[in-house]
Amino acid sequence: MVFRSKEQMRKALIKYGLLTFRSINFMKSEEGRIRAKCGWPGCPWTIYGAYSSRCSRFQVITYEDQHECGPNRDNHLVTAKVIARRYEHILRANPTWKIDSIKATVLKDFFADVSTSKCKAAKKIVSEKLLAGLKDEYTKVFDYQLELLRSNPGSTILVGLNPEYMDQNIFQSFYVCFNAMKKGFKACRRVIGLDGCFFKGACQGELLCAIGRDANNQMYPVAWAVVEKETSESWEWFVGLLIKDLDINDQGEGWVFISDQQKGLINAMQNYVPKAQHRMCARHIYANWKKKFREHALQKKFWAIAKAANREDFMYRKAKLAQDTSEGARDIMRTEPKHWARAFFSCWVPL
């Protein structure tokens, strides 16, 4: 057998060890020689190769192709790099792949018991490789912006850069509002839901969304943005662009915005659309309230308060709750009822 180089011969021996489930030990050798033997004590399998000047290749000089051992589950050839290379496609698709599942899969495919630290190292190798590829993708964000503007004339596509490192063009935010969405929203009710969520996986940051309701009462995406964090600055930036795209005038009068209790978003509402009705999700308010008041009977009374049709009914339901827990009745008033209680909503319907 002849190989182009010592490294090629070494890789071939490693592949042989992985396929036959045997541990191959490489003995100390010089630059022009390579010697390996079976890792099982007493096994005669051995191979010796050296550089041949006659053919300018690495040639096998001695080869004892006889094993007197069985497959070895303690195979040091199954390294973290080998695991990462073999299961990279799975780890890319499922970054949360459990360590125990990885160990079981490696045992099945390589007949090798691997440690938890080795599996974690393999996951780290794949994630770092994926992250390096994602960093390269950010260099194409301006090309992506231009392509969106070319294929969707009239859209608002903005790329925000970190102001502290303007000379380095470090990505900070990305805003999208397609022209078709702007035009289509004119036929929808003037009700917009605002919310944000974290990115899962290698990418960090948060996704901010503005969602409306169409004529079929289905979700209608209006605009979205990628930001570094969900802060007052990021929400003000997003809301400021949104009201320009939707041509919201008169400080938001006649509009309804629905959101959670995120402080940055509340500040943005007060600064940009102070006359708009700002309603909050009662389910989020109840989720926070439930942390202290867990009884099932109290749950029914909370929703009875939230759904009360008028203020008299609201006060009556609140008094009924106070009979069971006065602290709970006080606690639900920490958020102004005009934001979450039906009894305090205005009577006009946004068109």
Side-chain angles (χ1 to χ4, degrees):
M1 288 183 286
V2 177
F3 300 91
R4 287 194 300 269
S5 63
K6 177 182 176 180
E7 186 62 27
Q8 186 187 35
M9 182 176 177
R10 183 183 180 88
K11 289 181 179 179
L13 291 174
I14 292 175
K15 186 176 182 180
Y16 167 81
L18 294 173
L19 291 174
T20 58
F21 309 139
R22 288 182 170 88
S23 180
I24 305 298
N25 292 336
F26 292 91
M27 314 305 293
K28 187 176 181 180
S29 57
E30 300 176 2
E31 182 178 353
R33 302 175 184 179
I34 187 169
R35 187 189 302 274
K37 61 180 296 184
C38 180
W40 192 269
C43 182
W45 188 95
T46 184
I47 189 171
Y48 170 71
Y51 178 78
S52 174
S53 59
R54 297 177 59 183
C55 59
S56 300
R57 293 288 189 273
F58 241 78
Q59 186 173 4
V60 176
I61 307 299
T62 303
Y63 183 36
E64 179 61 44
D65 188 21
Q66 184 66 34
H67 278 283
E68 294 182 359
C69 62
N72 187 2
R73 294 180 64 168
D74 186 21
N75 193 344
H76 70 274
L77 296 179
V78 185
T79 62
K81 290 183 178 180
V82 170
I83 298 173
R85 185 166 56 250
R86 177 66 179 272
Y87 304 109
E88 180 178 354
H89 63 291
I90 300 178
L91 289 169
R92 280 177 174 267
N94 183 20
T96 60
W97 195 15
K98 301 294 184 182
I99 297 296
D100 291 340
S101 180
I102 297 176
K103 294 170 72 173
T105 304
V106 172
L107 179 61
K108 177 183 176 182
D109 294 343
F110 292 104
F111 196 72
D113 289 321
V114 292
S115 63
T116 299
S117 60
K118 190 174 290 187
C119 293
K120 289 182 178 179
K123 293 185 69 174
K124 184 178 180 181
I125 291 172
V126 175
S127 63
E128 289 179 348
K129 184 178 179 180
L130 179 61
L131 184 60
L134 290 174
K135 289 181 179 179
D136 293 336
E137 293 295 327
Y138 279 100
T139 61
K140 303 177 183 178
V141 68
F142 291 105
D143 295 333
Y144 179 56
Q145 177 193 27
L146 293 175
E147 178 59 24
L148 289 178
L149 291 173
R150 183 198 64 80
S151 57
N152 301 273
S155 301
T156 304
I157 314 294
L158 297 177
V159 178
L161 301 177
N162 192 321
E164 297 181 3
Y165 307 96
M166 291 298 293
D167 56 331
Q168 301 180 32
N169 289 342
I170 296 180
F171 176 85
Q172 187 177 45
S173 56
F174 192 82
Y175 174 87
V176 177
C177 183
F178 290 120
N179 188 43
M181 296 300 182
K182 299 179 192 178
K183 293 180 178 179
F185 187 74
K186 293 180 180 179
C188 300
R189 289 176 293 176
R190 289 179 289 180
V191 178
I192 298 176
L194 299 171
D195 202 0
C197 64
F198 292 98
F199 284 121
K200 295 182 179 180
C203 293
Q204 302 297 316
E206 295 195 36
L207 178 68
L208 307 183
C209 296
I211 306 295
R213 288 281 183 176
D214 62 15
N216 293 324
N217 204 32
Q218 301 298 311
M219 289 191 296
Y220 184 92
V222 181
W224 56 93
V226 176
V227 296
E228 186 177 7
K229 294 180 181 179
E230 194 174 356
T231 62
S232 297
E233 292 76 14
S234 61
W235 271 118
E236 288 187 1
W237 175 75
F238 180 69
V239 172
L241 293 172
L242 180 66
I243 62 176
K244 290 181 181 179
D245 284 330
L246 300 183
D247 195 23
I248 300 176
N249 301 314
D250 300 327
Q251 297 182 328
E253 187 173 3
W255 288 77
V256 174
F257 290 87
I258 304 173
S259 71
D260 57 12
Q261 295 177 281
Q262 215 284 332
K263 293 182 179 179
L265 180 53
I266 295 175
N267 294 335
M269 293 289 98
Q270 293 174 347
N271 293 335
Y272 283 94
V273 283
K275 293 185 179 180
Q277 289 201 44
H278 185 198
R279 299 176 183 175
M280 297 179 182
C281 179
R283 186 172 61 85
H284 285 87
I285 295 174
Y286 171 71
N288 293 328
W289 186 77
K290 184 182 177 182
K291 294 177 182 178
K292 293 177 61 178
F293 310 98
R294 298 179 176 274
E295 292 82 355
H296 183 69
L298 298 181
Q299 175 186 358
K300 293 184 177 180
K301 292 188 176 183
F302 173 90
W303 287 111
I305 294 172
K307 296 178 181 179
N310 52 64
R311 299 191 182 188
E312 290 75 13
D313 191 24
F314 175 88
M315 298 304 297
Y316 172 75
R317 301 289 182 180
K318 179 172 171 288
K320 295 287 286 185
L321 175 64
Q323 292 178 357
D324 294 335
T325 167
S326 58
E327 183 182 359
R330 290 193 301 269
D331 199 64
I332 62 173
M333 299 300 290
R334 291 184 179 180
T335 303
E336 294 185 57
K338 68 177 182 179
H339 293 309
W340 59 273
R342 180 183 177 187
F344 291 84
F345 293 165
S346 64
C347 298
W348 60 267
V349 179
L351 301 175

